[in-house]
Amino acid sequence: MAVHEILKMGDARLLRLAQPVSSLALGSAKLHQLVADMFDTMQAVNGAGLAAPQIGVDWQLVIFGSGQVNPRYPDAPTVPVTVLINPVITPVGDEEEEGWEGCLSVPGLRGVVPRFKRIRYQGLAPDGSAIDRTVDGFHARVVQHECDHLIGKLYPMRVRDYSRFGFTEVLFPGLDAAEDD
Ligand code: ZN
């Protein structure tokens, strides 16, 4: 079990364009260790997803999903546990949907972010096998949020209406204080 420190907004490492994972790294012990550490880190803070740059690793790799209800997003549908490497996202249609987001790198805040309602995402699993899914709703939102970390984008950069961006404890006073983002 290795829980890593999660970098916070303001750290320049969150603003990089992440490097593709080379085919040599696929299936490697180093990659498997990174993925295990990322799941430990994400689960320690009940995250819905985590991108490698959030723990300072300059790789195009994200994890997301829980397969069970996330206490931070109790009303959200479950998303399959996924490791996605070198992802490519293609919007399916141009319909957008607004939804509240938080980020482990932006603790204590939430904001409404417009995202494509439906997307296709493609990439690789850690063993090099292909992932190709078309999804919508919360699943699509999580993937877009996580993959944004690979191009140096944090969700506050996507907020359009700053009247719906603020501190979680003020916006949602009923939320458990332990769930601070
Ligand atoms: Zn995030």
Side-chain angles (χ1 to χ4, degrees):
M1 174 112 180
V3 174
H4 289 244
E5 181 194 359
I6 297 176
L7 305 183
K8 294 198 182 82
M9 185 167 66
D11 192 306
R13 288 171 289 179
L14 290 169
L15 302 176
R16 297 185 290 200
L17 291 179
Q19 298 298 310
V21 176
S22 81
S23 54
L24 290 174
L26 295 172
S28 69
K30 181 184 174 192
L31 181 66
H32 283 289
Q33 187 60 54
L34 170 65
V35 168
D37 288 357
M38 285 177 65
F39 274 106
D40 288 344
T41 302
M42 181 177 82
Q43 283 156 3
V45 289
N46 288 324
L50 187 70
Q54 290 181 278
I55 58 166
V57 175
D58 191 22
W59 264 358
Q60 292 180 16
L61 188 156
V62 302
I63 65 170
F64 52 84
S66 64
Q68 57 188 9
V69 173
N70 184 317
R72 286 181 59 224
Y73 301 95
D75 300 325
T78 58
V79 175
V81 175
T82 303
V83 180
L84 182 63
I85 295 167
N86 300 345
V88 176
I89 292 179
T90 310
V92 177
D94 53 12
E95 191 179 348
E96 290 183 348
E97 195 168 62
E98 293 186 324
W100 287 96
E101 293 187 17
C103 180
L104 300 171
S105 294
V106 192
L109 296 166
R110 298 257 173 127
V112 169
V113 183
R115 299 285 187 188
F116 289 109
K117 182 179 168 65
R118 192 172 176 83
I119 61 166
R120 177 184 185 187
Y121 66 90
Q122 297 161 281
L124 300 172
D127 65 359
S129 61
I131 293 173
D132 187 344
R133 296 177 183 153
T134 298
V135 302
D136 61 11
F138 182 70
H139 188 163
R141 175 172 300 278
V142 168
V143 174
Q144 289 172 87
H145 176 114
E146 295 311 325
C147 291
D148 258 0
H149 281 295
L150 306 181
I151 57 169
K153 290 266 188 206
L154 298 164
Y155 84 83
M157 302 172 185
R158 301 273 191 204
V159 169
R160 289 184 193 147
D161 175 4
Y162 286 95
S163 71
R164 291 183 293 162
F165 176 60
F167 289 95
T168 310
E169 64 189 25
V170 179
L171 290 162
F172 303 104
L175 269 194
D176 187 335
E179 298 159 19
D180 74 342
D181 53 49

